[in-house]
């Protein structure tokens, strides 16, 4: 599978082998030009050209221009653009960022377009990021989630198959530990996206709203249960307890060196690991399975990172922009999008999902599409993820022996302070 997918920072760094048409730039164009800001790798060239040709045929005299943007520094760039008189007409926004831009009044409201946009058919896990205070400000475009990547030879040597439940997962890791010389799982102590999924499976959440304010909820019994299981998984790993999956980068700095039987990652990470192993003269035979759930009837919950499309409130071509957004996110064009990305990204509705190749990363990821979840949808959530991230610090403290409730209360105080900032 080609490298494509978002690497969530709150879900925000896109790495892809696909290129959108146009080039990086700030100008929004004249009244006869509809300007789209899409992130590097998000709009496959062939898909974008076909879509824009169809749109221009419908709207005679209008030209669509896609300007490729880069994730580094994009939040400041978008904030500035939305405050100007001629912003881009349509923007791609990280799904954890969208509510913040909506709260500033920079995005056009789309609530009256729910029917035209196919709101009721959208992936339920993607919907919350498109709204704020009951009003719609964007449409989901694509998403992706993490799955377990495993060394088929190591699993075969241990005599195990991909697990369907948490208990089977732990038992399999024990078998690998006993029967192979490989690390059963590489799981750094601050991989909070994985922890979030375990927490959701326990019925908990990272933060909850009380009246008009938010509070952290890591001191809850649900969080303690989630950390108990995370701690059990982490006991099979030699990964540091005080770093995340990017320090060192697991896919290119750890896995290619061998001795890792399994790890949890995104599609671009799996592709990156394969490339790195090949360049080093090795050969990898990876398999993929969803993070197991508490029971076999459904996989474990996952963080569903991705992007939305929104219209600038100050767009000089607002109605045209709304129609382009409607067209781009429709079932027809989302299916074409899924085909163009070879199933490496989840389209905004199940009916647009193509059948992925058997035993591929995409196949495992599609299984998780119905159990995808998001971080709390509120403008203040971005403050929580700012380093030092209190969720990461909470995890490290618990893994190093601090009482979970005590560590949770300390994290909750920081979360509450940050999330309630305007």
């Amino acid at each position: 599978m080609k490298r494509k997918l978002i690497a969530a920072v709150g879900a925000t760094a896109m790495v892809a082998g696909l290129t959108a048409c146009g080039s990086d730039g700030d100008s929004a164009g004249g009244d006869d030009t509809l300007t789209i800001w899409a992130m590097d790798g998000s709009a496959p060239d062939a898909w974008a050209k076909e879509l824009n040709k169809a749109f221009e045929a419908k709207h005679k005299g209008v030209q669509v221009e896609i300007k490729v943007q880069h994730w580094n520094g994009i939040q400041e760039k978008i904030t500035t653009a939305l405050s100007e008189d001629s912003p881009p007409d349509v923007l791609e926004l990280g799904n954890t960022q969208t509510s913040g831009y909506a709260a500033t009044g920079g995005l056009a409201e789309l609530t009256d377009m729910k029917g035209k946009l196919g709101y009721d058919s959208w992936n339920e896990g993607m919907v919350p990021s498109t709204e704020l205070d009951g009003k719609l400000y964007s449409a989901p475009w694509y998403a992706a989630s993490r799955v377990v990547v495993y060394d088929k030879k190591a699993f075969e040597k241990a005599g195990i198959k991909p697990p369907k439940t948490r208990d089977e997962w732990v038992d399999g890791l024990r078998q690998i530990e006993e029967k192979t010389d490989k690390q059963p799982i590489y799981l750094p102590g601050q991989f909070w996206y994985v922890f979030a999924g375990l927490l959701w499976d326990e019925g908990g959440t990272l933060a909850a709203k009380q009246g008009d304010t938010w509070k952290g909820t890591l001191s809850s019994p649900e969080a303690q249960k989630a950390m108990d299981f995370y701690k059990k998984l982490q006991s099979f790993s030699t990964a540091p307890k005080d770093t995340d999956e990017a320090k060192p980068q697991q896919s290119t700095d750890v896995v290619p060196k061998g001795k890792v039987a399994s790890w949890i990652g995104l599609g671009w990470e799996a592709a990156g690991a394969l490339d790195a192993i090949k360049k080093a003269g090795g050969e990898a035979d990876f398999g993929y399975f969803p993070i197991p759930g508490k029971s076999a009837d459904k996989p474990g919950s996952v963080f569903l990172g991705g992007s939305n499309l929104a219209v600038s409130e100050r767009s000089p071509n607002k109605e045209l922009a709304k129609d382009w957004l409607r067209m781009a996110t429709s079932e027809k064009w989302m299916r074409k999008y899924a085909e163009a990305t070879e199933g490496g990204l989840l389209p905004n509705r199940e009916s647009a999902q193509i059948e992925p190749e058997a035993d591929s990363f995409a196949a495992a990821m599609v299984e998780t599409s119905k159990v995808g979840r998001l971080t709390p949808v509120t403008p203040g959530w971005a403050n929580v993820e700012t380093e030092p991230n209190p969720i990461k610090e909470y995890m490290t403290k618990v893994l190093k022996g601090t009482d979970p409730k005590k560590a949770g209360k300390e994290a909750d105080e920081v979360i509450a302070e940050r999330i309630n900032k305007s």
Side-chain angles (χ1 to χ4, degrees), residues 60-318:
K60 301 297 183 182
V62 174
Q63 180 181 358
V64 181
E65 183 176 11
I66 294 182
K67 291 185 176 292
V68 179
Q69 307 298 315
H70 302 279
W71 285 110
N72 187 29
I74 191 59
Q75 294 194 54
E76 295 79 5
K77 189 172 184 179
I78 289 176
T79 298
T80 299
L82 291 178
S83 67
E84 296 175 342
D85 292 333
S86 296
D89 300 294
V90 180
L91 307 93
E92 175 185 351
L93 306 172
N95 60 2
T96 61
Q97 304 168 352
T98 306
S99 62
Y101 297 121
T104 67
L107 306 181
E109 186 182 341
L110 306 176
T111 307
D112 61 354
M113 290 183 64
K114 281 186 175 181
K116 292 181 180 179
L117 292 171
Y119 176 92
D120 291 338
S121 66
W122 289 344
N123 181 304
E124 291 183 4
M126 299 183 190
V127 172
S129 71
T130 66
E131 300 177 304
L132 181 66
D133 298 331
K135 298 178 180 180
L136 186 69
Y137 290 96
S138 64
W141 190 9
Y142 64 82
S145 60
R146 292 170 174 83
V147 306
V148 181
V149 185
Y150 71 96
D151 183 329
K152 289 183 178 179
K153 291 182 180 178
F155 271 50
E156 183 179 353
K157 186 173 182 179
I160 61 173
K161 296 180 179 180
K164 294 291 186 181
T165 67
R166 285 187 181 182
D167 288 342
E168 290 178 3
W169 194 9
V170 171
D171 183 62
L173 295 176
R174 288 199 186 99
Q175 295 296 318
I176 294 170
E177 187 175 55
E178 294 173 3
K179 300 178 181 179
T180 79
D181 62 350
K182 290 184 177 290
Q183 180 178 180
I185 185 171
Y186 180 80
L187 185 66
Q190 295 186 343
F191 206 159
W192 72 274
Y193 296 115
V194 175
F195 165 71
L198 302 178
L199 176 57
W200 292 326
D201 282 345
E202 296 293 350
T205 185
L206 297 166
K209 194 171 185 180
Q210 284 190 329
D212 295 329
T213 60
W214 288 79
K215 68 169 187 174
T217 52
L218 296 186
S219 58
S220 67
E222 293 82 4
Q224 292 177 54
K225 290 179 182 177
M227 271 308 298
D228 282 345
F229 185 68
Y230 191 97
K231 191 171 186 177
K232 185 179 294 185
L233 291 177
Q234 221 271 330
S235 70
F236 292 99
S237 177
T238 62
K241 292 179 172 58
D242 57 356
T243 63
D244 61 21
E245 69 283 5
K247 301 174 185 178
Q249 173 51 247
Q250 58 182 10
S251 60
T252 54
D253 296 333
V254 179
V255 174
K257 294 177 182 178
K259 302 299 183 182
V260 175
S262 66
W263 49 290
I264 300 170
L266 294 161
W268 69 265
E269 291 180 295
L274 288 169
D275 288 345
I277 292 170
K278 184 177 180 180
K279 288 177 181 177
E283 184 178 349
D285 188 10
F286 288 158
Y288 312 93
F289 60 86
I291 293 174
K294 299 184 74 172
S295 59
D297 58 332
K298 67 176 182 179
S301 298
V302 291
F303 172 73
L304 199 61
S307 283
N308 300 329
L309 289 174
V311 173
S312 301
E313 173 62 24
R314 296 190 181 187
S315 164
N317 308 296
K318 193 180 294 185

Side-chain angles (χ1 to χ4, degrees), residues 211-419:
D212 295 329
T213 60
W214 288 79
K215 68 169 187 174
T217 52
L218 296 186
S219 58
S220 67
E222 293 82 4
Q224 292 177 54
K225 290 179 182 177
M227 271 308 298
D228 282 345
F229 185 68
Y230 191 97
K231 191 171 186 177
K232 185 179 294 185
L233 291 177
Q234 221 271 330
S235 70
F236 292 99
S237 177
T238 62
K241 292 179 172 58
D242 57 356
T243 63
D244 61 21
E245 69 283 5
K247 301 174 185 178
Q249 173 51 247
Q250 58 182 10
S251 60
T252 54
D253 296 333
V254 179
V255 174
K257 294 177 182 178
K259 302 299 183 182
V260 175
S262 66
W263 49 290
I264 300 170
L266 294 161
W268 69 265
E269 291 180 295
L274 288 169
D275 288 345
I277 292 170
K278 184 177 180 180
K279 288 177 181 177
E283 184 178 349
D285 188 10
F286 288 158
Y288 312 93
F289 60 86
I291 293 174
K294 299 184 74 172
S295 59
D297 58 332
K298 67 176 182 179
S301 298
V302 291
F303 172 73
L304 199 61
S307 283
N308 300 329
L309 289 174
V311 173
S312 301
E313 173 62 24
R314 296 190 181 187
S315 164
N317 308 296
K318 193 180 294 185
E319 294 309 311
L320 283 172
K322 289 180 178 179
D323 197 45
W324 188 92
L325 181 149
R326 177 200 60 75
M327 195 168 174
T329 59
S330 67
E331 180 178 356
K332 173 184 175 179
W333 289 97
M334 287 280 30
R335 184 165 186 82
K336 288 178 178 288
Y337 185 83
E339 291 169 350
T341 58
E342 300 176 356
L345 295 169
L346 297 169
N348 64 12
R349 65 195 79 201
E350 186 177 358
S351 59
Q353 179 64 53
I354 63 172
E355 187 68 31
E357 182 180 345
D359 301 320
S360 65
F361 184 98
M365 184 176 67
V366 167
E367 286 189 55
T368 71
S369 62
K370 293 183 179 181
V371 291
R373 297 277 297 271
L374 294 171
T375 52
V377 180
T378 174
W381 181 255
N383 300 325
V384 177
E385 292 187 23
T386 301
E387 296 293 345
N389 184 323
I391 306 170
K392 291 182 178 182
E393 295 195 326
Y394 156 77
M395 295 175 71
T396 294
K397 287 177 182 178
V398 176
L399 291 174
K400 289 188 174 182
T402 300
D403 176 69
K405 192 170 185 63
K406 178 179 183 295
K409 286 183 177 180
E410 292 172 351
D412 287 345
E413 291 180 4
V414 180
I415 291 173
E417 179 184 359
R418 293 187 183 185
I419 200 170

